[in-house]
Structure formats: C-alpha cells, structure tokens
Amino acid sequence: MNAPLPYWPAALRLDLAAAYVGLSVDTFKEVCPIKPIHFTQSTRGNRYLRASLDNWLVSLDQNGPNSAPTTRRIAERIGGKN
C-alpha cells in the first residue's frame, strides 16, 4: 500500500520550505530568491508561501511547453512525414 503524501501547509517554516523543495536548509538559504513573510517580529514567525515556492520552481524548469513534441508532430512521424 502506498503511503499518503505529506501535508504541506500554505506557509512553511524555513526547515519545511527547504524540505518542500528538496534542499538542505543551508543550500535553500543560499539559492532561494523567495523572501519569507513575517507573521511576528521574531524570525521564528517567518514563513515561506508554498505558492511562491511553486512559482519559483516552475521558473527553473527548462522543459517549457514547446520542448515536448505535439500530437500532430508525433502523428506525422508515425505516418512517415517529417
């Protein structure tokens, strides 16, 4: 049986934000351009919005929508047309 996916809150602490994107905390702090929002005056109140992290990760993806062949191009290849 498959284990359930972890629950990721909408606003993540630093350690959870790093885990969410698959990086160590040190690497996350070094490479992530997303700034945390401040719920309190303490740094313990800082949270990274999961939606902002998702947008950042998508911006890093080099597999844009034009990188995959379209259905028409696949059909043309199957039919022997280039």
Side-chain angles (χ1 to χ4, degrees):
M1 178 176 224
N2 291 336
L5 295 174
Y7 167 75
W8 296 104
L12 304 161
R13 294 184 323 255
L14 173 62
D15 60 328
L16 289 176
Y20 181 73
V21 301
L23 299 172
S24 70
V25 170
D26 290 336
T27 301
F28 178 83
K29 289 193 299 188
E30 185 178 318
V31 302
C32 181
I34 305 301
K35 301 297 180 216
I37 58 173
H38 307 284
F39 283 117
T40 67
Q41 297 297 330
S42 167
T43 57
R44 291 180 180 214
N46 292 349
R47 297 293 186 271
Y48 294 84
L49 294 179
R50 191 181 70 222
S52 296
L53 295 173
D54 288 339
N55 289 335
W56 170 56
L57 292 172
V58 168
S59 76
L60 297 174
D61 187 2
Q62 296 180 14
N63 299 304
N66 295 327
S67 66
T70 64
T71 305
R72 189 177 121 211
R73 284 193 240 155
I74 292 171
E76 287 173 354
R77 286 189 209 153
I78 292 171
K81 298 177 185 176
N82 291 331

